[in-house]
Amino acid sequence: MPRRLKPADFLRDAPEMARLLIGAVLLVDGVGGRIVETEAYDREDPASHSHSGPTPRNQAMFGPPGRAYVYRSYGIHWCLNFVCREEGHGAGVLIRAIEPLAGVATMIERRGLHEPRLLCSGPGRVGQALAIVHALNGHRLDQRPFAVHAADRDYDVVVGPRIGITKAADVPWRFGMAGSKFLSRGFPK
DNA sequence: TTGGGGATCTTCT
DNA sequence: GAAGATCCCCAAC
């Protein structure tokens, strides 16, 4: 079993961290799988929640690295980020898609779907399938219910522009596992 | 296969 | 008052 990531492993800038997390395994209470899609956000980035400085909503992004930043998306979904870089900077990685490996029956029940490809292919879907709730905001990623294991080998990574944003829409800070069938959508050639 | 609308909440203008 | 790091369902092509 590959080693678990600890807070010191998150002392990197957001794009580097986002790429490194492709192939890592995320479990929440034993439910989860392999991360196949991420996006990087940074304080200098106009599309980031942290761009305008700390607020009650985004304070976890300015806390210690190696913790979760959980936010409500479109008033409905809970989305999960990993805080990275140094404390106080406001950098993070959005977990956009996972290949389901563990606790698949639980995910099927939570999602109300049985199609494996649709269980975790999108940030809101990941939140629902892994039971991400706001109580996990600011929670350490190396302590229960979280467990993050480093990638077991090198994976080919594809890069492209981020999804669903209007500012800095051309910045290529979206990362995906090449050839994965569990991406939220394809990458442009 | 593509496109529009609804659900629902926080932040900022 | 509007927009947003989204998803789902239905209608129309």
Side-chain angles (χ1 to χ4, degrees):
Chain A
M1 181 73 108
R3 70 184 185 87
R4 273 177 78 157
L5 296 182
K6 52 188 188 306
D9 293 310
F10 293 84
L11 292 168
R12 313 167 181 276
D13 64 30
E16 182 187 352
M17 194 73 226
R19 184 187 179 102
L20 190 76
L21 285 170
I22 298 299
V25 171
L26 166 65
L27 300 175
V28 181
D29 238 355
V31 176
R34 194 175 304 285
I35 296 170
V36 298
E37 184 180 339
T38 60
E39 281 178 2
Y41 290 90
D42 187 270
R43 182 164 185 173
E44 279 79 46
D45 166 16
S48 173
H49 290 170
S50 61
H51 182 61
S52 299
T55 67
R57 174 211 209 185
N58 66 21
Q59 60 176 341
M61 282 189 87
F62 292 91
R67 302 200 184 198
Y69 163 49
V70 176
Y71 72 94
R72 175 87 85 178
S73 174
Y74 289 87
I76 298 179
H77 310 287
W78 292 108
C79 298
L80 174 65
N81 292 253
F82 292 175
V83 178
C84 65
R85 206 162 161 168
E86 72 274 12
E87 178 169 358
H89 185 85
V93 176
L94 171 67
I95 307 303
R96 284 195 55 91
I98 285 173
E99 174 182 348
L101 293 178
V104 175
T106 301
M107 293 192 234
I108 289 171
E109 186 179 341
R110 289 171 178 162
R111 294 274 296 118
L113 293 167
H114 53 79
E115 174 69 46
R117 209 175 50 85
L118 296 178
L119 287 178
C120 301
S121 57
R125 291 166 173 170
V126 169
Q128 187 182 18
L130 301 197
I132 301 299
V133 291
H134 193 236
L136 295 173
N137 190 41
H139 199 283
R140 290 179 61 137
L141 295 170
D142 60 338
Q143 294 182 355
R144 55 170 279 294
F146 289 114
V148 184
H149 298 269
D152 56 342
R153 63 176 177 86
D154 283 335
Y155 290 92
D156 288 333
V157 174
V158 288
V159 182
R162 294 171 293 182
I163 290 179
I165 60 173
T166 54
K167 303 163 193 162
D170 54 340
V171 176
W173 276 10
R174 176 180 178 231
F175 300 85
M177 183 181 293
S180 173
K181 296 177 173 56
F182 298 91
L183 299 172
S184 65
R185 48 169 298 188
F187 281 73
K189 278 190 284 190

